[in-house]
Amino acid sequence: MSIYVGNLSYEASQDDVSAVFAEYGKVVKVHLPVDRETGRKRGFGFVDMENDSEEEAAIADLDGAEWMGRQLKVNKARPRTPRPQQSW
């Protein structure tokens, strides 16, 4: 399972996010997508933790919490849906 973390500060680094989630267990991976054109962080990310109970505890405690001046949106990540292909 992966955790979706929304409404992140654009200043947040992977290390910052990892440190917050490490309070709930072992963080396996943090991914903060960046905009292809600007290279700027997009304000959301994904966190993978070692087991489901740690992830559920993090979601329960951090959803709605204020961090770096923003109210976080934290929930289970949904599978990515394929985008329709454009025909030119």
Side-chain angles (χ1 to χ4, degrees):
M1 177 175 87
S2 194
I3 300 171
Y4 168 81
V5 185
N7 203 30
L8 281 172
S9 167
Y10 295 108
E11 306 301 316
S13 70
Q14 286 184 323
D15 289 341
D16 294 333
V17 174
S18 183
V20 169
F21 281 83
E23 294 179 25
Y24 299 92
K26 183 173 172 40
V27 175
V28 175
K29 182 173 105 177
V30 174
H31 176 63
L32 302 178
V34 295
D35 183 274
R36 283 184 229 157
E37 294 177 18
T38 65
R40 183 177 145 184
K41 292 179 190 139
R42 297 179 64 195
F44 67 92
F46 300 93
V47 177
D48 292 339
M49 297 184 74
E50 195 164 69
N51 65 55
D52 288 347
S53 63
E54 294 171 353
E55 289 179 343
E56 289 169 12
I59 290 168
D61 284 358
L62 296 174
D63 186 37
E66 187 172 322
W67 185 62
M68 294 182 82
R70 307 202 56 175
Q71 187 174 2
L72 298 178
K73 176 67 178 157
V74 182
N75 55 31
K76 290 183 182 182
R78 290 182 230 128
R80 187 174 188 174
T81 56
R83 294 186 195 180
Q85 291 187 344
Q86 296 180 357
S87 57
W88 298 101

